[in-house]
Each structure stands twice: as C-alpha cells, then as structure tokens.
Amino acid sequence: MSAFSLEGRNVLITGAAGGIGSETARVCAELGATLVLADIEEPRELAAELRERGATVSTYAFDVADRGANERMVAEQSRVDAVVANAGTLSWEDWEEDHWDQAFERITDVNVLGVIHLARACLPRMYRQGGGNMVIVSSVAARMGGLRAGPHYVASKGGVHALAKWLARRAAPHGVAVNSVAPGATVTPMTEGRGYEASSIPMQRLAAPREIALPIAFLCSDAASYMCGATLDVNGGVYMG
Ligand SMILES: NC(=O)c1ccc[n+]([C@@H]2O[C@H](COP(=O)([O-])OP(=O)(O)OC[C@H]3O[C@@H](n4cnc5c(N)ncnc54)[C@H](O)[C@@H]3O)[C@@H](O)[C@H]2O)c1
C-alpha cells in the first residue's frame, strides 16, 4: 500500500461543504478514507456524490464554535484517525465600523476557539487509539499580515499558527501528529469577487482548491509520519519562508 493511502482510516473534516473542505473530502475519498463531513448545514450533496463513487460517508451539521456540539459528534464515532480543522470564516468590514468588535468575536470563536474545541474532543480519543493526525487549515495571512483580509481574520489565523505548535508539542508524545497547511488565495466562495489579483502572485494565478486539498491529505497519511508542528506553505510563491 502507498504511504499516501488513507485506506481504512476515518477522516473527519469540518467546513466540508466549502471550497477547500469539499475538495479535501474528494481527495481523501480517492485515497480510500471513510469520511465524516461536518458543516453548519449537513453537506448532503457532497456525501451523495462521494457515496456514488464508493466512499463510506456520514454527515453532521453543527457550529464549530459550540464546544458541546463538537464533543457530541466525536462521541458518536467508532474511531477518529485523522481530523481536518478546516471550517473558517472571514468578514470584510473595516475596524472603524460599529459592529467590527462583534465580527472580531465571531471570527475568533470560529477560527480559533473552534479549533480548540475540535482538538479537545478529538485528541484524547486519538491518544486512546494509540495515534492519529490533526491538520489545521490556517492561512498565508498569518505569515504576512493578510493580502486583503482585515485584522480580525489575520489575528485569528496568526493565533492558529501558534496554537498548532502548542497542540503539536502536547500531542506528539501520545503518537498524534498535529500540523497545519497555510493556503494562499484560493478560488472558493470565501474569495469570490474580492479582487484578488493573479498578477500579485509569483505563479500568476490563485490556487485551485485541490492544490490545497492534496497537501492536507498528505498530512493525514503515513507519508508525513515524522512531521510535527510543521506549517506547509501552499501559496504560489507569495510567501517563501
Ligand atoms: N480561500 C482562500 O483563499 C483561503 C486562504 C487561506 C486560508 N483559507 C482557509 O481555508 C479554510 C476553508 O476556506 P474556504 O476557502 O474553503 O472557504 P469556504 O467559505 O468555501 O468554506 C468554509 C466552510 O466553513 C464552514 N463554516 C464556517 N463557519 C462555520 C462554523 N461556525 N461551523 C461550521 N462550519 C463553518 C462554511 O459553512 C463553509 O462551508 C478556512 O479556514 C479559511 O480561512 C482560505
């Protein structure tokens, strides 16, 4: 079996209905994974598509900012071999606008606290199973202060980078590898119509979601067996570490 195979693994993905999440589900299904797909609304269409191609899929609807909902979903799983903390949100208001503080709180709740809730639910389960992988989807915004996104989003993703390292250090002695993928501008509903310029990217184009999904799937596999606390920068050359 290839080291990249996810055959026989239960892979849980949040934000699975979105651009990067749905493509991650497709790639993981191609690699043989059994999938648990979660989003604010059940990703039923995607699940039907993947089942048609032979994958075993279950779906959940919950807000990742709700700790109890994360825990209930994980409690229903027989195994969790890999978890992809991909759900994320972004809003575009200026920090001089009245409701910016509320937007900051919501973005922090989803992008940072949501990852913590998911990790707190999944990691003890993986420890008991003897190992696993967690992949956190952060952003190039954490590296360079954001191409177009505001300070609330940028701060949340910067927090996620530090958090990924904290989680990695804590989980590694239990056989669980935590790593992150930091995408650059990717063609998804999050960036649509927001004026991202291909000409500002050395590779002269935005990423296709599959180009982010493949590195995420790699970090869920044995091919990444000695990776711990790493951030894979997948950004067409916008940021070179
Ligand atoms: N698209 C980009 O250019 C880009 C760049 C860097 C990082 N990212 C990150 O990649 C991840 C995926 O983003 P995307 O581009 O696919 O965006 P997207 O908007 O297509 O998908 C995000 C998904 O997360 C879900 N979601 C949002 N809030 C949620 C919540 N509270 N609970 C449950 N689900 C929730 C949404 O319903 C949506 O399906 C995000 O973490 C995002 O910050 C995206």
Side-chain angles (χ1 to χ4, degrees), residues 14-22 38-41 61-66 85-90 106 109-111 114 136-141 153 156-157 181-192 196 206-207 209 212 216 234:
T14 64
I20 291 172
S22 59
D39 207 297
I40 282 278
E41 287 178 17
F62 66 91
D63 182 341
V64 294
D66 176 346
N86 165 73
T89 193
L90 166 61
R106 179 63 183 158
D109 280 354
V110 173
N111 293 3
I136 303 173
V137 181
S138 57
S139 174
V140 72
Y153 181 81
S156 76
K157 291 298 184 178
V181 170
T186 306
V187 181
T188 73
M190 190 175 274
T191 51
E192 205 176 349
Y196 284 85
L206 276 67
I212 310 301
I216 293 172
V234 189

Side-chain angles (χ1 to χ4, degrees), residues 3-19:
F4 295 90
S5 171
L6 298 176
E7 209 69 55
R9 302 218 177 160
N10 287 359
V11 179
L12 195 161
I13 303 168
T14 64

Side-chain angles (χ1 to χ4, degrees), residues 138-147 149 153-162 180 182-183 231 233 239:
S138 57
S139 174
V140 72
R143 297 290 203 192
M144 43 191 298
L147 300 173
Y153 181 81
V154 171
S156 76
K157 291 298 184 178
V160 162
H161 268 192
S180 60
T231 298
D233 292 302
Y239 170 84

